[in-house]
Amino acid sequence: MAKPNGENMAPSRKQAFEKLKIPTTSRAILCLDGGGIRGILTIQLLKKLEETAGMPCYELFDMVAGTSTGGIIASLITTGHAAADIEEMYEELVTKVFEKKFFRGRFLNPPAFTKNNYRGILKKLMGDMTLEKACALHDLDLMITASDISAGEETFFSCFKQEDGTYHGTYKEVLLRAAMEATMSAPTYFYPMERFLDGGTTTYNNPALAAFIEATSYSADKDKSSPYSVSAISLFSFGTGMSRQFKNFKQTIRPKGLAITFWLHWIMNQTGQDASMMQMNTFRSPVFKKILDLRRFEISLDQRALKKLENTGTLNEKKYGTAWLHDLTSKVLDNIDLADIRKFDLMKTIGEQMAKYIVSSGNNFETDLLDEHEHDALVSFFGDVACIKKQMSSAHWIDKRLA
């Protein structure tokens, strides 16, 4: 149940809800995608959200959920950190976490990085605080995802406050820093945490659907009703920037370098993005639109999407070949790896400009960020329907393809 709502809501929180047009009888859930260093984009949006609401996220929301880098940010929110503070901590964390191992790479003698610094930082920040103790700090329910390779399933480290003040959750006694390490143990980047891999390895890089189900179905004992009503939830979902992979068909036949590297890289990126799009399409379907107040904020990292943002000439010209956001080439944008700290400043700038767009467009975090076609306003789509219909309807064309 987290915080009191309705008539029992604190005046300052009620005012924040009214600013964001959240019904005061609803529960507000914040969901944060994974994305490595691209999480700095998410933090820029959270800063603007807090500015708009007039209060920090840990006071605004009833529940926060995260995967990988989103799980790290979610944990910092739960323990009472405002977005500006998280930004400072995150910048230090990122530069120290991606500690390169000698003679190691993602696909050659993996993993590419060690978690020594990360584990040490988490121990210093969180000590041996459990999920239950973390949630009790600011009456904030929490869910962190991790993929359990031993059980072949996703694990949700969640904790929910009950009406009597106790806490519910299978893993409520788990150390918060353990869940934070499990959720970011991405294969090829880091060693697994025993049985656990990064929560975004499979289909939960976007934790929104999992958080919705966990809150409405598993937030209380079976003999008790859930404090989260299916028809009274405002769900805020923040992405980290979609790295679109537009491949010419010739590249799939003769990819540069090792074919296995080409396909592993493509699959590891595309699986999470496709799963995220499927979740959002489900939430935006007629059935869900009647009951759920969804607010999704995402951008695709391509020239068409960036040109919808306000241009800025603050980029490092030596590094990117231009100081202007709108002049970035696809070569730069197509290669923003989750661990590429060299482009940390670029993702921060894109996040800042995206936050400005959300406000200047009149959205103000009050509704789903969609265009006139009911698609994500800042996500580009490049489907060639006419070409596909022509080719796939031609027996001659089909029979001439490589078999």
Side-chain angles (χ1 to χ4, degrees), residues 124-265:
K124 182 179 178 181
L125 282 175
M126 304 300 176
D128 290 337
M129 183 187 303
T130 63
L131 266 67
E132 180 177 343
K133 289 181 179 178
C135 292
L137 291 174
H138 298 280
D139 280 343
L140 187 58
D141 295 335
L142 174 66
M143 186 194 83
I144 298 173
T145 71
S147 183
D148 185 341
I149 55 175
S150 295
E153 62 185 20
E154 199 76 6
T155 296
F156 303 120
F157 294 103
S158 60
C159 185
F160 294 90
K161 186 178 181 181
Q162 306 299 291
E163 288 187 8
D164 61 4
T166 61
Y167 285 84
H168 172 80
T170 302
Y171 300 110
K172 64 181 182 179
E173 297 300 329
V174 163
L175 298 188
L176 178 58
R177 64 184 177 94
M180 292 174 72
E181 181 174 334
T183 193
M184 59 75 68
S185 297
T188 72
Y189 290 100
F190 301 102
Y191 281 123
M193 188 184 183
E194 195 68 29
R195 64 195 294 154
F196 291 115
L197 298 178
D198 186 310
T201 305
T202 53
T203 57
Y204 294 94
N205 193 60
N206 179 341
L209 181 57
F212 178 80
I213 294 172
E214 192 79 357
T216 57
S217 303
Y218 302 104
S219 57
D221 291 328
K222 291 182 179 180
D223 60 342
K224 298 179 181 178
S225 60
S226 170
Y228 291 85
S229 171
V230 171
S231 58
I233 291 176
S234 290
L235 193 151
F236 290 69
S237 175
F238 288 79
T240 59
M242 295 175 62
S243 185
R244 306 305 299 273
Q245 300 184 92
F246 306 113
K247 307 294 184 184
N248 185 285
F249 74 92
K250 293 179 181 178
Q251 291 177 273
T252 66
I253 298 172
R254 296 183 181 84
K256 291 181 180 180
L258 294 174
I260 186 65
T261 302
F262 173 87
W263 285 112
L264 278 175
H265 181 77

Side-chain angles (χ1 to χ4, degrees), residues 29-317:
I29 299 177
L30 174 64
C31 300
L32 306 173
D33 289 13
I37 63 102
R38 300 204 298 255
I40 190 62
L41 180 150
T42 304
I43 294 172
Q44 305 314 305
L45 304 188
L46 294 177
K47 284 168 61 180
K48 183 62 71 174
L49 173 65
E50 290 186 347
E51 179 186 318
T52 304
M55 68 167 34
C57 288
Y58 63 83
E59 293 182 358
L60 177 66
F61 289 97
D62 293 285
M63 175 185 178
V64 60
T67 292
S68 194
T69 198
I72 296 170
I73 298 171
S75 299
L76 292 173
I77 291 172
T78 303
T79 49
H81 297 281
D85 295 330
I86 293 174
E87 181 176 32
E88 291 184 18
M89 300 166 74
Y90 191 82
E91 290 184 5
E92 180 183 4
L93 188 67
V94 165
T95 55
K96 291 183 177 180
V97 163
F98 292 105
E99 179 187 356
K100 192 75 174 178
K101 299 181 71 174
F102 291 109
F103 308 111
R104 298 265 184 166
R106 285 189 62 205
F107 300 107
L108 180 64
N109 196 24
F113 306 98
T114 172
K115 292 187 290 186
N116 288 336
N117 285 343
Y118 181 66
R119 188 174 294 171
I121 292 170
L122 290 189
K123 192 170 184 177
K124 182 179 178 181
L125 282 175
M126 304 300 176
D128 290 337
M129 183 187 303
T130 63
L131 266 67
E132 180 177 343
K133 289 181 179 178
C135 292
L137 291 174
H138 298 280
D139 280 343
L140 187 58
D141 295 335
L142 174 66
M143 186 194 83
I144 298 173
T145 71
S147 183
D148 185 341
I149 55 175
S150 295
E153 62 185 20
E154 199 76 6
T155 296
F156 303 120
F157 294 103
S158 60
C159 185
F160 294 90
K161 186 178 181 181
Q162 306 299 291
E163 288 187 8
D164 61 4
T166 61
Y167 285 84
H168 172 80
T170 302
Y171 300 110
K172 64 181 182 179
E173 297 300 329
V174 163
L175 298 188
L176 178 58
R177 64 184 177 94
M180 292 174 72
E181 181 174 334
T183 193
M184 59 75 68
S185 297
T188 72
Y189 290 100
F190 301 102
Y191 281 123
M193 188 184 183
E194 195 68 29
R195 64 195 294 154
F196 291 115
L197 298 178
D198 186 310
T201 305
T202 53
T203 57
Y204 294 94
N205 193 60
N206 179 341
L209 181 57
F212 178 80
I213 294 172
E214 192 79 357
T216 57
S217 303
Y218 302 104
S219 57
D221 291 328
K222 291 182 179 180
D223 60 342
K224 298 179 181 178
S225 60
S226 170
Y228 291 85
S229 171
V230 171
S231 58
I233 291 176
S234 290
L235 193 151
F236 290 69
S237 175
F238 288 79
T240 59
M242 295 175 62
S243 185
R244 306 305 299 273
Q245 300 184 92
F246 306 113
K247 307 294 184 184
N248 185 285
F249 74 92
K250 293 179 181 178
Q251 291 177 273
T252 66
I253 298 172
R254 296 183 181 84
K256 291 181 180 180
L258 294 174
I260 186 65
T261 302
F262 173 87
W263 285 112
L264 278 175
H265 181 77
W266 187 86
I267 291 170
M268 288 178 70
N269 279 276
Q270 200 65 32
T271 300
Q273 292 186 16
D274 286 354
S276 178
M277 292 298 292
M278 178 62 74
Q279 288 184 49
M280 294 304 104
N281 289 337
T282 300
F283 279 143
R284 289 166 178 160
S285 66
V287 173
F288 267 98
K289 283 184 75 171
K290 293 178 181 178
I291 60 173
L292 178 66
D293 173 23
L294 173 68
R295 308 180 189 196
R296 173 69 172 171
F297 303 93
E298 178 63 297
I299 187 170
S300 55
L301 303 174
D302 57 74
Q303 294 162 311
R304 183 187 296 183
L306 293 190
K307 287 183 178 179
K308 294 180 181 179
L309 307 181
E310 180 183 325
N311 202 6
T312 178
T314 59
L315 299 179
N316 185 324
E317 186 172 0

Side-chain angles (χ1 to χ4, degrees), residues 375-391:
H375 297 149
D376 288 277
L378 295 176
V379 175
S380 302
F381 296 91
F382 295 89
D384 193 343
V385 176
C387 177
I388 293 171
K389 289 174 68 175
K390 179 180 179 181
Q391 292 178 339

